[in-house]
Amino acid sequence: MAMEKPVLWYIADPMCSWCWGFAPVIENIRQEYSAFLTVKIMPGGLRPGTNTPLLPEKRAQILHHWHSVHTTTGQPFTFENALPEGFIYDTEPACRGVVSVSLIEPEKVFPFFAAIQRAFYVGQEDVAQLAILKKLAVDLGIPESRFTPVFQSDEAKQRTLAGFQRVAQWGISGFPALVVESGTDRYLITTGYRPIEALRQLLDTWLQQHGV
C-alpha cells in the first residue's frame, strides 16, 4: 500500500494582505509539488471577532502594509476609498466561508479563497458579509441553498474556531505560513512572505531529507 503523502498546510487568512501577495506563490507550489505533497488551507484567523470599526490610525497602518505588499509582489490593489469609514475588520466570516466550502466541495477551496482575496483587495467588497461570500460561492458553482446553511451551521463555526486554536497551539502568529505534517511530525517551512525561488529550495531540501 502506498504511503500517504505528507500534508503541506497553507496557514493563511483571506483578509491578510501578505497572503494576497503570496497567492501566485501558493499556486506555483500547488502545481509543482502536488505529486509529493497534499496542499491544504487552514484559515488562521488574523482578526477574528473584531466588532469595532477601524480607527483612522489603524486604517493608515493597514494601507501602509498594502502598499508594501503591492511594491514587493506586484499583486493588484484598489487603494482609493479602501477600508471605508465604519468598516469592521472581522476576518472570522471569511475564514468560516473557506471552511464551509471545504465541507461542501473541497476541490473548490483554493479558488474560493482566491475569490475572497480578489473581492476584498481589488473589488473593495466587504467580505465579512454573508451576502458577498454567498455570491462568490455561487460564482464557483456552489448553490446558495448549500452554502448558506453550512456557513450558518454550528459545525462550520466550531471547525473554524478549532482551526484558529490549532494554529495558535502550533505557535504560528504570522501569515502566510507553511507547515508540513508527516505522520505525527510537523515541520515549519516558512512564516511570512517569501518568493517561490526561496521556497523551492526549502521544500526540496525537506523532501530530500525525508525521502519523499
Side-chain angles (χ1 to χ4, degrees), residues 30-211:
R30 288 179 68 215
Q31 286 164 18
E32 293 176 28
Y33 289 90
S34 61
F36 313 104
L37 299 163
T38 301
V39 186
K40 293 184 177 183
I41 289 181
M42 189 184 301
L46 180 69
R47 292 191 182 84
T50 300
N51 55 14
T52 51
L54 269 186
L55 295 169
E57 56 271 26
K58 187 69 183 171
R59 175 183 186 269
Q61 191 186 350
I62 291 170
L63 287 176
H64 178 73
H65 284 303
W66 289 17
H67 279 284
S68 300
V69 175
H70 175 64
T71 305
T72 305
T73 70
Q75 281 286 82
F77 286 80
T78 303
F79 292 109
E80 204 179 337
N81 305 319
L83 305 172
E85 197 178 337
F87 176 70
I88 296 174
Y89 209 127
D90 176 11
T91 71
E92 189 275 345
C95 288
R96 184 166 21 123
V98 174
V99 170
S100 302
V101 170
S102 75
L103 292 167
I104 301 165
E105 289 192 51
E107 68 283 0
K108 290 184 176 172
V109 168
F110 275 94
F112 184 71
F113 191 93
I116 297 178
Q117 292 177 308
R118 187 165 287 281
F120 182 51
Y121 290 107
V122 183
Q124 293 193 338
E125 298 191 67
D126 184 353
V127 295
Q129 303 302 319
L130 171 57
I132 302 293
L133 295 169
K134 197 165 62 182
K135 178 170 71 85
L136 297 173
V138 169
D139 287 347
L140 284 172
I142 299 170
E144 183 192 329
S145 60
R146 292 185 72 196
F147 181 80
T148 301
V150 172
F151 179 81
Q152 292 174 331
S153 69
D154 285 341
E155 183 184 5
K157 290 173 187 171
Q158 285 159 2
R159 282 194 184 221
T160 304
L161 185 60
F164 297 165
Q165 289 166 342
R166 197 183 330 172
V167 170
Q169 280 163 357
W170 289 1
I172 289 162
S173 54
F175 312 129
L178 294 174
V179 173
V180 176
E181 192 170 29
S182 179
T184 55
D185 297 326
R186 279 190 305 276
Y187 307 86
L188 178 66
I189 299 290
T190 186
T191 178
Y193 176 85
R194 289 198 191 193
I196 184 66
E197 296 76 19
L199 287 170
R200 276 197 197 107
Q201 289 180 332
L202 293 169
L203 288 166
D204 291 348
T205 300
W206 187 90
L207 291 167
Q208 282 161 4
Q209 284 172 347
H210 295 84

